[in-house]
Amino acid sequence: VLSCEIKQPAPASGAAAYDGIAERFVTILRDHGLGRRALVHSFDHPTVRRGRELAPDLPTSVSYGGGTFVDPLALARAADASGLGAWWAWLSPEVCAAAHRAAMHAHAWGMDQPPREDQVAMLVRAGVDTLDADDPRLLRRILDAL
């Protein structure tokens, strides 16, 4: 799976959002036949929502950096995302199980790079569906060894 993070300026920066970015990433993924082989995620949840409006079958997740939420899936539901993407340390077995019960996936990002076997093992045990890694070959070797 190709992990695609869509960036938008931070609201506090005062910079305008990138107009048409959702349309552009949907077009690029479709043009290259990657619509179902990519996971699009962003901290900018309106951009995720717009992507899903344009391509309802596009795998998406809303990113969040941490914290314990009463209902982390509410973030994904509000953006019509197909899953949630959390900083790796916040994806507990309970959060992953709740996502799966809701027919959503759980995506982990922000692990140490290169990936550490103990972090990957913890996430696999927790039930994550996808992981980001700067070196996918090393991640594959770790996963194969588990």
Side-chain angles (χ1 to χ4, degrees), residues 52-143:
R52 291 281 285 186
E53 289 170 357
L54 297 166
D57 60 334
L58 181 66
T60 57
S61 67
V62 291
S63 299
Y64 65 94
T68 304
F69 294 93
V70 170
D71 182 3
L73 298 180
L75 299 170
R77 286 186 194 102
D80 191 32
S82 59
L84 57 100
W87 183 60
W88 71 273
W90 293 99
L91 279 173
S92 66
E94 295 78 17
V95 169
C96 292
H100 296 154
R101 282 191 303 275
M104 293 183 179
H105 63 270
H107 174 71
W109 60 268
M111 291 185 307
D112 290 345
Q113 297 300 324
R116 289 185 5 217
E117 188 173 334
D118 61 322
Q119 287 178 342
V120 173
M122 182 195 77
L123 290 166
V124 168
R125 283 192 307 273
V128 298
D129 300 290
T130 53
L131 307 163
D132 273 356
D134 290 349
D135 185 346
R137 290 171 298 192
L138 175 57
L139 179 59
R140 178 81 262 164
R141 285 194 301 271
I142 293 170
L143 289 169

Side-chain angles (χ1 to χ4, degrees), residues 1-27:
V1 173
L2 176 66
S3 174
C4 304
E5 182 180 3
I6 305 302
K7 303 275 191 175
Q8 286 282 17
S13 73
Y18 301 127
D19 189 38
I21 195 167
E23 289 79 3
R24 290 194 66 207
F25 76 72
V26 166
T27 298

Side-chain angles (χ1 to χ4, degrees), residues 30-74:
R30 283 184 176 157
D31 287 353
H32 293 279
L34 295 171
R36 290 189 176 261
R37 294 178 36 218
L39 171 63
V40 176
H41 48 100
S42 181
F43 284 96
D44 188 71
H45 299 179
T47 297
V48 172
R49 179 186 263 297
R50 180 66 182 137
R52 291 281 285 186
E53 289 170 357
L54 297 166
D57 60 334
L58 181 66
T60 57
S61 67
V62 291
S63 299
Y64 65 94
T68 304
F69 294 93
V70 170
D71 182 3
L73 298 180

